């Protein structure tokens, strides 16, 4: 399969944010069940399949409206649907999209095996594919759009170390789903930072299947019990897992005393940071990622050959994938305002009830 690489794909995040503010959850796509929309000035059609609504709130609250806005602005016909955590449903949606004439298909896979099967089918039908946010190992994607996920893990490791300080501490890792390549990269990045720090002792580490927050609470409760409560820091891979950890720490009357990391800058995660129950989160400006995907897809639909600056290796597929890799940002209590100022979350959502005083203190309005 031909691969294209070199220069940088343009990012127009400010435009996307402005457009997203004008759009709702549904711009003719039928909500999470998807559907066709207008546009149609371009020669082809874009299909996007988002993974679920459980692992993170971002997919429907951020990615969908941002992508809708970008495709509407470009005058491109599109179909965005959500697999709701079901690999078979994702395969069915992909088959329907291909049958209905998409010429470019972007997926956020639920696991590499099912994602690769979808991409093989698409390739056989002459449909170009893009991996969005998660690389499909052993897949056939023409491009990959994401953040530097190893760097996400490094930021989490650095954040936990910053919150723990130099004193000896027992730490636990609550990693993401074992079949999500991003989760592997997050863990690698965190270990890269923390392993050389001999003041920290890893007393527990486990992955959470399907990023399931309820399972995460059970897993961490077992970790905490087995360690006799002797855990001083937790590397949690995202804000959902972090909140599960905070709930167990709260039951043991130590919430706020044990630093916990996170990712995605969710409303819940930011509120946990404001309350002092979570050390930090990693903010990934989704507007940039959505615009990068839209830019690539629109070029492909219009018969152009996009060129991008980065590349990643797929060891299972023995291939190099041309990639757009964006920069994540560490968020602590003192810069929660950045996420609000960027428009990624709103003060109205974050600064409710008990969190209003902290927002006022930090100049968030």
């Amino acid at each position: 399969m031909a691969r294209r690489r070199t220069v940088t794909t343009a990012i127009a995040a400010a435009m996307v944010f402005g457009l997203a503010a004008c759009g709702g959850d549904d711009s003719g796509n039928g909500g999470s069940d998807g559907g066709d929309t207008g546009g149609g000035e371009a020669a082809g059609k874009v299909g996007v399949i988002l993974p679920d609504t459980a692992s993170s709130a971002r997919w429907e609250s951020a990615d969908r409206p941002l992508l809708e806005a970008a495709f509407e602005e470009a005058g491109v016909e599109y179909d965005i649907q959500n697999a709701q955590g079901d690999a078979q449903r994702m395969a069915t949606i992909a088959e329907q999209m291909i049958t209905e004439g998409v010429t470019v298909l972007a997926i956020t896979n639920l696991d590499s095996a099912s994602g690769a099967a979808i991409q093989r089918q698409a390739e056989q039908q002459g449909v170009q594919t893009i991996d969005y946010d998660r690389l499909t190992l052993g897949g056939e994607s023409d491009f990959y759009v994401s953040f530097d996920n190893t760097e996400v893990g490094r930021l989490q490791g650095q954040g936990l170390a910053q919150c723990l300080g130099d004193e000896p501490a027992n730490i636990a890792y609550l990693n993401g789903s074992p079949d999500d390549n991003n989760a592997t990269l997050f863990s690698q990045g965190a270990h890269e930072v923390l392993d050389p720090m001999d003041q920290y002792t890893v007393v527990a580490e486990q992955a959470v299947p399907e990023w399931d927050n309820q399972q995460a609470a059970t897993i961490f409760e077992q970790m905490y019990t087995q360690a006799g409560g002797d855990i001083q820091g937790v590397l949690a891979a995202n804000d959902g897992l972090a909140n599960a950890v905070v709930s167990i720490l709260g039951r043991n009357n130590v919430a706020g005393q044990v630093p916990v990391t996170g990712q995605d800058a969710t409303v819940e995660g930011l509120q946990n940071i404001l309350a002092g129950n979570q050390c930090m989160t990693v903010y990934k400006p989704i507007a940039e990622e959505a615009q990068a995907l839209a830019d690539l897809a629109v070029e492909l639909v219009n018969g152009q050959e996009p060129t991008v600056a980065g590349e990643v290796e797929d060891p299972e597929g023995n291939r190099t994938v041309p990639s757009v890799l964006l920069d994540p940002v560490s968020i602590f209590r003192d810069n929660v305002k950045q996420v609000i100022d960027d428009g990624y979350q709103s003060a109205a959502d974050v600064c409710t009830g008990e969190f209003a005083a902290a927002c006022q203190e930090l100049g968030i309005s």
Side-chain angles (χ1 to χ4, degrees):
M1 180 183 297
R3 302 294 183 196
R4 281 117 8 219
R5 56 182 74 82
T6 52
V7 215
T8 309
T9 297
I11 304 296
M15 178 189 75
V16 175
F17 272 123
L19 290 167
C22 300
D25 276 342
D26 181 8
S27 62
N29 281 356
S32 61
D33 290 332
D36 294 339
T37 144
E41 293 177 16
K45 177 179 178 181
V46 181
V48 180
I49 311 178
L50 301 174
D52 57 49
T53 54
S55 66
S56 177
R58 62 165 282 193
W59 303 114
E60 290 297 323
S61 66
D63 296 80
R64 176 188 285 276
L66 288 165
L67 289 168
E68 288 173 346
F71 290 136
E72 291 282 355
E73 175 69 12
V76 169
E77 189 177 1
Y78 65 91
D79 183 1
I80 301 175
Q81 299 193 44
N82 194 305
Q84 299 296 348
D86 186 330
Q88 182 55 54
R89 177 171 176 164
M90 182 175 284
T92 300
I93 292 170
E95 185 175 357
Q96 291 172 342
M97 286 182 172
I98 292 169
T99 300
E100 292 169 4
V102 300
T103 53
V104 177
L105 177 64
I107 66 169
T108 304
N109 72 64
L110 289 166
D111 62 81
S112 285
S114 63
I118 288 170
Q119 291 175 351
R120 283 193 295 271
Q121 180 188 15
E123 183 186 34
Q124 290 167 4
Q125 299 298 318
V127 174
Q128 294 179 286
T129 57
I130 303 172
D131 273 322
Y132 183 52
D133 200 70
R134 298 172 186 164
L135 181 66
T136 299
L137 299 178
E140 303 289 343
S141 56
D142 295 282
F143 293 95
Y144 172 48
V145 176
S146 190
F147 289 85
D148 183 336
N149 292 305
T150 306
E151 181 64 12
V152 169
R154 292 189 194 103
L155 293 181
Q156 290 175 327
Q158 291 163 3
L160 186 62
Q162 179 176 324
C163 292
L164 281 170
D166 295 329
E167 295 300 314
N170 290 339
I171 62 175
Y173 284 76
L174 198 61
N175 297 325
S177 186
D179 54 10
D180 180 348
N181 185 57
N182 282 3
T184 300
L185 298 176
F186 302 150
S187 178
Q188 287 176 354
H191 275 285
E192 181 182 313
V193 169
L194 293 171
D195 285 356
M197 297 183 179
D198 55 13
Q199 70 268 38
Y200 303 137
T201 301
V202 178
V203 295
E205 180 167 8
Q206 191 168 336
V208 179
E210 299 179 352
W211 294 90
D212 185 278
N213 296 335
Q214 290 185 334
Q215 287 193 64
T218 300
I219 290 168
F220 181 70
E221 187 168 33
Q222 292 169 347
M223 288 179 174
Y224 194 79
T225 300
Q226 289 169 3
D230 191 13
I231 294 177
Q232 286 77 51
V234 183
L235 196 298
N238 77 356
D239 288 347
L241 304 188
N243 192 62
V245 170
V246 169
S247 71
I248 300 305
L249 294 175
R251 287 184 203 171
N252 289 276
N253 300 312
V254 291
Q257 300 176 38
V258 178
V260 181
T261 68
Q263 179 188 176
D264 289 336
T266 64
V267 168
E268 183 178 65
L270 296 177
Q271 289 177 337
N272 276 333
I273 292 172
L274 292 174
N277 293 328
Q278 185 172 323
C279 159
M280 58 84 69
T281 188
V282 177
Y283 167 44
K284 299 182 297 187
I286 305 303
E288 296 182 12
E289 188 180 23
Q291 188 64 48
L293 172 60
D295 287 345
L296 280 174
V298 169
E299 287 183 89
L300 291 171
V301 160
N302 287 320
Q304 300 171 353
E305 288 203 2
T307 54
V308 299
E311 59 184 31
V312 298
E313 297 301 318
D314 170 11
E316 291 189 16
N318 192 28
R319 65 192 181 119
T320 300
V321 187
S323 305
V324 177
L325 299 176
L326 304 166
D327 294 326
V329 180
S330 293
I331 298 295
F332 297 84
R333 191 176 189 275
D334 61 2
N335 66 333
V336 165
K337 189 174 186 291
Q338 178 179 345
V339 182
I340 310 297
D341 288 348
D342 279 0
Y344 182 65
Q345 303 293 1
S346 72
D349 289 335
V350 174
C351 302
T352 58
E354 64 184 288
F355 309 105
C359 285
Q360 184 175 7
E361 174 192 342
L362 296 169
I364 300 171
S365 58

